[in-house]
């Protein structure tokens, strides 16, 4: 036992010798510790108190304007062998990467406190959970990690018992974009991040550990670490089915995880339970089903657009004890962002609000809040065994071609659907309409090894004795000729989820098409929707010529993974393509 703790202490001492802090603080995760940190951050301006009458326990943090988002071009995955990182990652030789970033860490904590944060991703008692330790000089990171993970004493005890943990070293540094790196060393289960205080770069438990490092652990240990929400759908009989869904960033994971059933469904007794909104770890159980946990304990959600109309569960969650980053404030000091009623007086940089400067809240402004504050938070989210997954859903923004919903005919076909996933950019975002960016399984920024090997790992679950979830693909974003969304989306998406559940339970027949199974006439409940008949038809239309071109494009995309692309996936692409030409 002692030697296991020694490994942690030795590493902490090594880091301290390099970074030379004035003080070392081991975080216990207590409320008193959190309040003390808040007090210190209020005193030095790291946090700004918001209106405590309307928003008790809520604070604002304004980050450096040059440090407001993930930085993919400065994010490296440093496998020993370059080939293992794949064309989907930036790679640097591990020795070179260590040397480069260690030089930045030299003496960087002089005169400051170094915090040691033991944390557990997932319920403390779950065999699916994995632990990590983040060392940082940022009290803002400590406060956020306390909300986002199970942090402190209990995690440290588990680490001392197991002896294994992911090592994460972080320093805010000078916030100079020229001196900023986010380095991952998958073989060493180590992360080093320098020069950014932004969530995805600094809260190392989240994207760095729970996705980029964890997907490597998952491959070695036979499980999956995915960029997926987990939602429970309870029918009027009180039976709950769990669905995991991967959509790229800004494609509505948080919305679907907190879905509010349409009026008619609510009346009939349907309920929706939130288990996770961003990351999902899944592992086969003894019965061959996949069991999932949400490794996180909080939400780090995009603020703009969050309103009573779009996501009232999220809005209710953040009415107290929330850290806001880069939002605007109103005259009476309430947090504000585009999409909320009222008017801002101060923008995200602390300037008097002037529309000439752009949006009042930064488009990537965020809230950090404990998941327990969500009105639909599922009791099962704390279950050590995880929840059994009945359906895996892939989706993205596709203004054309992709139907509202389709089901893969089997697991391998589903893996192809996930690999082919993409999102089309809009004119508003890039100036070029209809530019498709492939984002396999919504993991492009997070898959910490070669995508070809990753697809092979997904395919490896298809074995005798397994009882795998059905795989679906959805598209809430198909547009009509008038350029408007054909599908109302949001709460109405429950209609699509109900069809999936009916498929799982053998209650819906569906119609086979060359690209997948779509709902048969009348199977998708549309009553009370006011959806024009043509829209309903168009939403499920399969355009053969368009799909042939799509299959060619998917084939060309798969080619980019070279010899590491599993032959099985290539066969699947050929099978679908030939089904289309026979059609
Ligand atoms: P990350 O947290 O960054 O991984 O992204 P996310 O997948 O959680 O995305 P988020 O929920 O922040 O994306 C919200 C965006 O999707 C907003 O622009 C919403 O308006 C839009 N959105 C969500 N659900 C729907 C839907 O069903 N239909 C339409 N048309 N838009 C939707
Ligand atoms: Mn989200
Ligand atoms: Mn995400």
């Amino acid at each position: 036992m002692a030697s296991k703790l020694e490994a942690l202490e030795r590493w902490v001492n090594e880091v301290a010798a390099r970074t030379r802090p004035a003080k070392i603080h081991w975080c216990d995760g207590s409320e008193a510790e959190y309040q003390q940190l808040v007090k210190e951050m209020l005193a030095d301006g790291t946090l700004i108190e918001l209106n405590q009458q309307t928003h008790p326990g809520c604070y604002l943090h304004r980050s450096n304007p040059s440090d407001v988002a993930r930085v993919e071009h400065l994010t490296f995955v440093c496998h020993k062998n370059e080939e293992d990182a794949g064309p989907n990652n930036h790679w640097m030789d591990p020795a070179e990467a260590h040397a480069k970033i260690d030089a930045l860490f030299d003496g960087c904590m002089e005169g400051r406190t170094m915090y040691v944060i033991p944390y557990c991703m997932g319920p403390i008692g779950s065999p699916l959970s994995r632990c990590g330790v983040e060392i940082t000089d940022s009290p803002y990171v400590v406060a956020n990690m306390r909300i986002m993970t199970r942090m402190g004493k209990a995690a440290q005890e588990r680490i001392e018992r197991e002896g294994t943990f992911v090592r994460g070293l972080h320093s805010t540094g000078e916030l100079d974009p020229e001196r900023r790196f986010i380095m991952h060393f998958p073989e060493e289960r180590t992360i080093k991040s320098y020069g950014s205080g932004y969530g995805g770069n600094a809260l190392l438990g989240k994207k760095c550990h729970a996705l980029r490092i964890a997907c490597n652990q998952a491959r070695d240990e036979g499980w999956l670490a995915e960029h997926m929400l987990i939602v429970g759908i309870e029918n009027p009989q009180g039976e709950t089915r769990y669905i995991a869904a991967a959509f790229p960033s800004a494609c509505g994971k948080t919305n679907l995880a907190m879905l509010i059933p349409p009026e008619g469904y609510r009346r009939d007794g349907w309920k929706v339970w939130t288990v996770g909104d961003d990351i999902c770890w899944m592992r086969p159980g003894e019965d061959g089903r996949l069991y999932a946990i949400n490794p996180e304990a909080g939400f780090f959600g995009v603020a703009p657009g969050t309103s009573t109309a779009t996501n009232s569960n999220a809005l209710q969650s953040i009415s107290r004890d929330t850290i806001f980053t880069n939002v605007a404030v109103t005259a009476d000091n309430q947090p504000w962002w585009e999409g909320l009623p009222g008017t801002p007086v101060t923008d995200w940089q602390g300037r008097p609000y002037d529309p000439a400067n752009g949006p009042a809240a930064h488009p990537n402004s965020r809230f950090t809040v404990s998941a327990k504050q969500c009105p639909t938070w599922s009791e099962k989210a704390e279950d050590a065994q995880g929840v059994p997954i009945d359906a895996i859903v892939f989706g993205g923004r596709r203004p054309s071609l992709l139907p509202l919903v389709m089901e893969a005919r089997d697991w391998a076909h589903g893996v192809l659907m996930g690999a082919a996933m993409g999102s089309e950019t809009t004119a508003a975002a890039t100036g070029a309409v209809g530019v498709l960016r492939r984002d396999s399984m919504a993991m492009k920024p997070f898959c910490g090894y070669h995508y070809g090997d990753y697809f092979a790992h997904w395919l490896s679950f298809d074995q005798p004795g397994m009882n795998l979830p059905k795989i679906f693909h959805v598209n809430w974003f198909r547009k009509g000729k008038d350029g408007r969304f054909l599908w109302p989306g949001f709460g109405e998406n429950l209609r699509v989820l109900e069809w999936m559940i009916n498929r799982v339970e053998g209650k819906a027949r569906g119609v086979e098409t060359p690209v997948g199974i779509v709902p048969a006439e009348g199977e998708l409940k549309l009553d009370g929707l006011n959806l024009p008949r043509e829209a309903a038809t168009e939403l499920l239309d399969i355009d053969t010529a368009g799909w042939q071109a799509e299959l060619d494009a998917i084939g060309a995309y798969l080619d980019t993974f070279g010899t590491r692309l599993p032959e099985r996936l290539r066969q699947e692409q050929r099978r679908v393509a030939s089904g289309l030409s026979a059609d």
Side-chain angles (χ1 to χ4, degrees):
M1 260 239 328
S3 68
K4 286 180 178 172
L5 180 56
E6 258 172 45
L8 174 56
E9 283 182 345
R10 203 176 328 115
W11 174 60
V12 169
N13 289 337
E14 271 167 33
V15 169
R18 181 175 295 285
T19 59
R20 300 195 288 278
K23 216 167 87 183
I24 301 179
H25 176 89
W26 288 71
C27 299
D28 63 13
S30 65
E31 178 65 23
E33 177 181 77
Y34 181 78
Q35 292 307 336
Q36 179 60 30
L37 283 168
V38 166
K39 211 168 114 189
E40 288 169 21
M41 285 190 281
L42 286 171
D44 72 7
T46 304
L47 290 184
I48 297 162
E49 196 169 69
L50 290 165
N51 187 326
Q52 297 297 301
Q53 261 73 53
T54 58
H55 290 76
C58 290
Y59 305 97
L60 167 65
H61 172 72
R62 291 195 185 112
S63 73
N64 188 303
S66 74
D67 184 36
V68 292
R70 282 187 286 108
V71 282
E72 289 180 25
H73 64 293
L74 300 174
T75 300
F76 291 83
V77 171
C78 310
H79 286 271
K80 285 194 190 108
N81 176 357
E82 175 170 10
E83 176 74 353
D84 290 336
N88 46 301
N89 281 301
H90 297 293
W91 176 85
M92 198 184 288
D93 176 73
E96 185 192 337
H98 278 302
K100 219 178 188 106
I101 201 161
D102 284 349
L104 300 177
F105 278 113
D106 265 336
C108 74
M109 296 185 190
E110 260 166 25
R112 314 170 61 181
T113 301
M114 178 175 112
Y115 300 92
V116 180
I117 313 170
Y119 63 88
C120 181
M121 299 309 289
I124 285 280
S126 171
L128 284 77
S129 300
R130 291 291 178 274
C131 290
V133 177
E134 174 166 0
I135 297 180
T136 181
D137 53 9
S138 161
Y140 167 80
V141 165
V142 180
N144 277 272
M145 284 290 284
R146 179 166 185 270
I147 298 172
M148 293 304 297
T149 72
R150 281 90 172 166
M151 179 267 257
K153 253 201 169 68
Q156 189 172 331
E157 280 161 17
R158 181 167 167 160
I159 290 167
E160 287 169 17
R161 241 184 358 262
E162 292 182 336
T164 52
F165 59 97
V166 170
R167 288 154 204 241
L169 171 56
H170 168 256
S171 171
T172 323
E174 305 87 340
L175 295 176
D176 174 358
E178 300 296 312
R179 289 163 58 84
R180 178 176 298 162
F181 289 109
I182 325 296
M183 309 275 205
H184 303 73
F185 304 91
E187 284 101 351
E188 303 165 43
R189 307 289 194 245
T190 294
I191 305 151
K192 292 184 178 178
S193 166
Y194 188 90
S196 169
Y198 174 74
N201 303 327
L203 311 181
L204 301 185
K206 196 175 174 61
K207 303 299 192 183
C208 299
H209 175 164
L211 289 174
R212 295 195 194 96
I213 296 290
C215 71
N216 282 279
Q217 292 177 305
R219 179 179 52 162
D220 293 350
E221 300 170 5
W223 48 283
L224 291 164
E226 300 298 327
H227 190 202
M228 290 179 177
L229 66 95
I230 309 167
V231 67
I233 309 293
E234 182 180 334
N235 68 15
Q237 290 73 50
E239 299 152 350
T240 306
R241 299 229 173 236
Y242 295 91
I243 296 175
F247 310 149
S249 293
C251 292
K253 284 186 299 300
T254 300
N255 279 91
L256 192 68
M258 299 180 189
L259 180 147
I260 294 174
E263 184 51 38
Y265 277 81
R266 241 176 304 167
R267 229 187 0 250
D268 290 346
W270 289 80
K271 295 194 180 99
V272 171
W273 300 107
T274 309
V275 180
D277 83 323
D278 197 50
I279 302 179
C280 165
W281 288 357
M282 283 182 282
R283 171 191 287 269
E286 271 163 23
D287 55 3
R289 297 176 82 185
L290 291 184
Y291 286 80
I293 59 164
N294 170 12
E296 301 189 283
F299 306 122
F300 184 65
V302 177
T306 306
S307 68
T308 318
T310 61
N311 194 340
S312 79
N313 282 324
L315 202 64
Q316 275 173 259
S317 310
I318 59 184
S319 59
R320 63 178 173 92
D321 299 313
T322 302
I323 299 174
F324 294 92
T325 301
N326 294 336
V327 299
V329 290
T330 62
D332 63 346
N333 206 25
Q334 294 191 47
W336 192 91
W337 49 81
E338 279 67 19
L340 281 184
T343 40
V345 298
T346 307
D347 76 3
W348 65 278
Q349 298 191 54
R351 303 172 298 193
Y353 173 58
D354 178 353
N357 289 331
H362 188 276
N364 195 34
S365 54
R366 299 265 170 172
F367 52 78
T368 317
V369 66
S370 166
K372 292 199 183 98
Q373 290 181 208
C374 180
T376 54
W377 186 235
S378 166
E379 276 177 20
K380 290 283 185 179
E382 292 294 335
D383 193 318
Q385 299 313 309
V387 295
I389 298 295
D390 282 306
I392 288 176
V393 183
F394 296 119
R397 283 178 193 263
R398 298 293 298 260
S400 60
L401 195 68
L402 274 281
L404 176 64
V405 59
M406 57 180 181
E407 179 190 326
R409 55 180 233 165
D410 56 23
W411 184 260
H413 182 208
V415 174
L416 178 71
M417 278 183 182
M421 244 177 83
S423 239
E424 248 157 350
T425 53
T426 62
T430 64
V433 179
V435 176
L436 181 71
R437 212 181 69 140
R438 298 279 167 201
D439 186 353
S440 300
M441 281 82 168
M443 284 285 278
K444 171 69 183 64
F446 310 117
C447 181
Y449 63 100
H450 198 299
Y451 250 155
D453 296 339
Y454 170 82
F455 301 146
H457 181 55
W458 262 85
L459 290 168
S460 75
F461 286 82
D462 191 7
Q463 282 172 22
M466 289 295 288
N467 184 3
L468 292 166
K470 279 184 177 294
I471 299 181
F472 298 86
H473 190 287
V474 299
N475 181 20
W476 315 139
F477 300 94
R478 190 155 173 171
K479 289 179 177 173
K481 283 172 203 74
D482 58 1
R484 295 173 53 177
F485 292 124
L486 287 166
W487 179 248
F490 299 96
E492 309 297 347
N493 293 335
L494 183 55
R495 297 168 188 273
V496 176
L497 302 184
E498 186 191 5
W499 180 74
M500 294 176 188
I501 291 170
N502 283 337
R503 285 290 300 158
V504 167
E505 296 180 346
K507 292 181 189 157
R509 276 181 19 258
V511 179
E512 293 249 10
T513 81
V515 296
I517 301 155
V518 298
E521 180 78 34
E523 284 183 350
L524 205 57
K525 269 196 213 132
L526 300 175
D527 46 296
L529 241 198
N530 209 1
L531 188 74
R533 224 193 133 67
E534 318 80 71
T537 311
E538 202 175 338
L539 275 164
L540 294 175
D541 178 56
I542 304 294
D543 161 22
T544 304
W547 270 103
Q548 283 169 337
E550 171 77 357
L551 264 292
D552 287 346
I554 292 169
Y557 170 69
L558 295 181
D559 282 342
T560 63
F561 302 109
T563 55
R564 296 228 185 173
L565 184 81
E567 182 52 28
R568 184 74 187 81
L569 206 56
R570 171 56 76 188
Q571 281 167 8
E572 204 48 41
Q573 180 264 344
R574 286 201 203 100
R575 186 189 63 74
V576 179
S578 68
L580 280 161
S581 36
D583 199 32

